[in-house]
């Protein structure tokens, strides 16, 4: 039975339905269609039953032009998003509207409010997803079918690193990448689209945006929509999927806006009281099953570089890997600007990555930590005043840190350096050689921004031939 609008308050719409018996009201999470002659229908999601015959709903669009008394029709289910092979290479929004100027997206549609896999159907994240990026594969191996957080403040390279990971996934793993742009600027969205198109990987990428100028409802649900698309490729196509979310903090912000609009009292530091539940609903659906795996890389903006912020701390509880980007490393030109001492992964254990990998990673951390301890002394007195063993550790740490830098394919047009994909074994060989002292004769700058150790040696020899 159709209802009528009784109140319009921004993106919150109150609707009265002619209820005759219990259960006649549309269920929470179901979508309503607001209609007015001469206007395109507007979709609403039921968020609250506030009276026996009233619901309060969240609008997925601008409510200007609608009025009290307009007709509202139940659709009988939650919001549904396009899925299937038809979405490959497409750019669209939460409502399935194309943003790339292409034809309407056909095919099947799945509800975005889906349950997470049962415990018995899950497969633990115990395999490494090789990225080809030396510092990540060595110190923060990504778990296949797990969650990795990419933490950093503004301007330290989160989005560029995600773009490189997407490109490497398509080129070297032949998998599908799904990108959820939550609160993205239109400029960033177009840049990513053109970059994927120019590099030839767009046919294996799905770009789903809830842009910054959209209503809170669209930004709030875009992450779940992208996750639903990923679940189709995992469950129906039997493919491994790399899911990128940029970024989770804007998802939290959108949820905070929605919470405030519906009158919920704020919790810690002004965040919504449902913060933990909202993040858990998103994170728990990211899992491996016998059909395939969803591996997620989630950018997390860190407000004021405060890693203890409640929203950031809540996301930490659901992650298997932690990539913390350092503003200091970025200022020194050490890209990717991963902080090697604050970043880690649950997979970095001998029984998972192997004894050799675990040993080299531990030795690399020890040497880099020693260098960090001595930096203040070096700044005051120079390296000549250090003990011989400390001086040796500093020289090798500086060479190792520069070896772990790497040019990106997605930045080649700006830097003039072709991107490098380095296999894990080659990364381990190079790090082991540096830690052993085999590169003590090379100037540290010779190890900067390159691929394998053999390639860097060859480049240095050719430059000084």
């Amino acid at each position: 039975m159709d209802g009528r609008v009784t109140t319009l308050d921004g993106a919150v719409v109150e609707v009265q339905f002619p209820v005759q018996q219990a259960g006649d009201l549309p269920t929470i999470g179901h979508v309503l269609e607001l209609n007015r002659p001469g206007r395109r229908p507007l979709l609403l999601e039921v968020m609250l039953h506030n009276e026996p015959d009233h619901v309060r709903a969240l609008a997925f669009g601008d409510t200007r032009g609608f009025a009290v008394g307009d007709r509202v029709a139940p659709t009988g289910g939650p919001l549904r998003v396009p899925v299937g092979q038809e979405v490959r290479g497409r750019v669209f929004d939460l409502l399935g509207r194309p943003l790339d100027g292409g034809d309407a997206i056909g095919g099947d549609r799945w509800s975005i409010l889906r349950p997470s896999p049962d415990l018995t159907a899950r497969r633990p994240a115990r395999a490494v997803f090789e990225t080809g990026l030396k510092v990540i594969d060595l110190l923060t191996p990504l778990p296949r079918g797990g969650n990795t957080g990419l933490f950093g403040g503004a301007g330290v390279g989160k989005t560029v690193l995600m773009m490189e990971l997407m490109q490497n996934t398509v080129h070297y793993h032949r998998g599908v990448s799904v990108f959820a742009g939550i609160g993205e600027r239109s400029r960033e969205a177009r840049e990513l689209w053109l970059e994927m198109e120019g590099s030839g990987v767009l046919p294996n990428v799905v770009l789903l945006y809830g842009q910054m100028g959209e209503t809170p409802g669209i930004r709030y649900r875009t992450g779940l929509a992208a996750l639903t698309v990923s679940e189709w490729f995992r469950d129906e196509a039997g493919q491994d999927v790399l899911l990128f979310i940029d970024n989770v903090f804007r998802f939290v912000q959108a949820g905070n806006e929605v919470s405030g609009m519906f009158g919920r009292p704020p919790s810690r530091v002004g965040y919504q009281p449902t913060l933990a539940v909202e993040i858990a609903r998103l994170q728990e659906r990211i899992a491996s099953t016998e059909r395939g795996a969803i591996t997620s890389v989630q950018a997390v903006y860190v407000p004021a570089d405060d890693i203890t912020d409640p929203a950031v701390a809540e996301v930490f509880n659901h992650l298997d890997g932690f990539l913390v980007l350092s503003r200091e490393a970025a200022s020194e030109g050490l890209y990717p600007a991963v902080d090697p001492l604050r970043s880690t992964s649950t997979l970095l254990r001998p029984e998972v990555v192997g004894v050799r990998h675990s040993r080299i990673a531990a030795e690399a951390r020890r040497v880099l930590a020693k260098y960090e301890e001595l930096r203040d002394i070096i700044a005051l007195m120079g390296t000549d005043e250090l003990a011989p063993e400390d001086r040796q550790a500093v020289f090798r740490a500086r060479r190792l840190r520069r070896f772990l830098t790497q040019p990106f394919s997605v930045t080649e047009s700006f830097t003039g350096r072709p991107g490098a994909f380095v296999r894990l074994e080659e990364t381990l060989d190079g790090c082991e050689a540096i830690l052993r002292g085999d590169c003590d004769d090379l100037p540290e700058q010779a190890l900067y921004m390159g691929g394998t150790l053999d390639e860097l040696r060859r480049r240095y020899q050719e430059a000084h031939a």
Side-chain angles (χ1 to χ4, degrees):
M1 257 183 281
D2 292 352
R4 296 287 173 180
V5 174
T6 59
T7 305
L8 279 164
D9 184 8
V12 179
V13 181
E14 190 165 311
V15 184
Q16 182 178 21
F17 285 91
V19 175
Q20 297 179 357
Q21 58 183 3
D24 281 354
L25 274 182
T27 305
I28 289 176
H30 280 204
V31 170
L32 313 174
E33 194 175 77
L34 174 57
N35 295 281
R36 184 177 180 81
R39 290 294 307 272
R40 178 180 296 177
L42 178 64
L43 297 183
L44 319 170
E45 181 181 330
V46 177
M47 302 292 288
L48 184 67
H49 288 180
N50 56 325
E51 291 184 36
D53 59 346
H54 282 70
V55 301
R56 298 185 77 192
L58 180 65
F60 292 126
D62 195 345
T63 57
R64 286 178 295 184
F66 292 95
V68 170
D70 285 345
R71 185 172 61 85
V72 178
T75 62
L79 188 68
R80 304 174 75 83
V81 68
V83 294
Q85 300 295 346
E86 293 85 353
V87 301
R88 280 176 177 259
R90 299 303 304 272
V91 187
F92 58 100
D93 68 4
L94 171 72
L95 306 179
R97 299 176 298 198
L99 302 177
D100 52 10
D103 296 334
I105 301 173
D108 197 8
R109 287 184 176 242
W110 277 16
S111 163
I112 67 168
L113 302 180
R114 298 170 54 78
S116 59
D118 294 336
L119 286 176
T120 54
R122 290 173 176 264
R123 297 292 179 267
R126 293 189 178 275
V128 174
F129 186 92
E130 193 173 324
T131 66
L133 302 179
K134 292 179 285 189
V135 66
I136 295 177
D137 289 341
L138 173 68
L139 299 173
T140 318
L142 266 60
R144 178 181 176 273
N147 301 343
T148 298
L150 190 56
F151 295 86
V156 294
K158 296 188 301 297
T159 302
V160 173
L161 180 53
M162 292 183 76
M163 289 166 62
E164 183 71 7
L165 288 169
M166 287 177 69
Q167 180 150 299
N168 287 353
T169 299
V170 174
H171 275 310
Y172 298 99
H173 291 280
R174 307 298 179 191
V176 179
S177 291
V178 178
F179 180 86
I182 303 174
E184 285 280 287
R185 300 173 184 87
S186 298
R187 169 184 56 79
E188 293 175 335
R190 180 160 180 81
E191 284 175 0
L192 178 60
W193 173 25
L194 293 177
E195 180 62 44
M196 295 296 103
E197 189 175 44
S199 58
V201 303
L202 189 60
N204 290 307
V205 175
V206 182
L207 301 174
L208 203 155
Y209 285 106
Q211 291 166 259
M212 189 174 281
E214 297 286 2
T215 61
I218 287 183
R219 287 182 277 119
Y220 183 52
R221 292 306 195 198
T222 294
L224 294 181
L227 189 48
T228 301
V229 173
S230 302
E231 288 170 333
W232 186 93
F233 283 107
R234 180 193 66 190
D235 298 339
E236 298 297 318
Q239 291 182 288
D240 287 352
V241 185
L242 194 56
L243 170 65
F244 295 89
I245 303 176
D246 189 7
N247 73 59
V248 175
F249 186 77
R250 294 199 192 111
F251 162 73
V252 171
Q253 283 183 312
N256 198 11
E257 291 178 57
V258 171
S259 180
M261 288 189 296
F262 283 88
R264 300 186 187 120
S267 183
R268 284 196 305 159
V269 199
Y271 285 111
Q272 61 270 40
T274 53
L275 173 66
V277 173
E278 290 172 5
I279 291 177
R281 283 177 181 159
L282 178 72
Q283 303 289 351
E284 285 296 302
R285 286 172 58 182
I286 301 170
S288 291
T289 67
E290 61 181 13
R291 292 283 294 159
I294 298 176
T295 303
S296 80
V297 178
Q298 306 168 24
V300 184
Y301 170 70
V302 181
D305 290 343
D306 179 13
I307 207 79
T308 64
D309 182 88
V312 178
E314 192 60 48
V315 175
F316 261 112
N317 296 330
H318 298 274
L319 299 178
D320 305 294
F322 310 91
L323 273 170
V324 180
L325 299 188
S326 162
R327 194 172 301 282
E328 184 179 2
S331 67
E332 294 178 15
L334 302 175
Y335 290 104
V338 175
D339 187 326
L341 299 179
R342 298 172 70 193
S343 303
T344 188
S345 169
T346 57
L347 296 192
L348 204 56
R349 307 193 305 273
E351 60 269 23
V352 178
V353 298
V355 174
R356 182 182 180 228
H357 185 168
S358 179
R359 174 179 56 79
I360 293 172
E363 178 64 13
R365 284 186 195 278
R366 187 192 67 78
V367 170
L368 291 169
K370 187 68 174 177
Y371 174 51
E372 287 299 317
E373 286 176 20
L374 297 170
R375 288 187 75 164
D376 289 342
I377 297 175
I378 295 169
L380 288 171
M381 305 172 62
T383 56
D384 292 339
E385 300 299 323
L386 298 176
E389 61 272 16
D390 288 344
R391 194 180 311 126
Q392 181 187 78
V394 167
F395 289 157
R396 290 178 183 176
R398 288 180 63 87
R399 283 165 174 76
L400 178 64
R401 192 66 188 90
R402 276 147 186 78
F403 174 68
L404 294 177
T405 62
Q406 196 164 338
F408 287 173
S409 298
V410 296
T411 60
E412 183 176 351
S413 59
F414 305 105
T415 65
R417 298 176 184 264
F421 183 96
V422 183
R423 296 291 178 188
L424 176 58
E425 281 303 312
E426 294 171 322
T427 297
L428 295 177
D429 291 343
C431 292
E432 192 171 40
I434 292 169
L435 293 168
R436 196 168 52 228
D438 295 353
C439 299
D440 289 355
D441 58 323
L442 279 177
E444 59 188 51
Q445 204 59 25
L447 299 172
Y448 179 68
M449 278 292 169
T452 66
L453 183 58
D454 290 340
E455 291 170 358
L456 289 164
R457 281 185 180 279
R458 188 164 54 248
R459 186 178 75 181
Y460 175 73
Q461 291 166 358
E462 290 171 356
H464 294 80

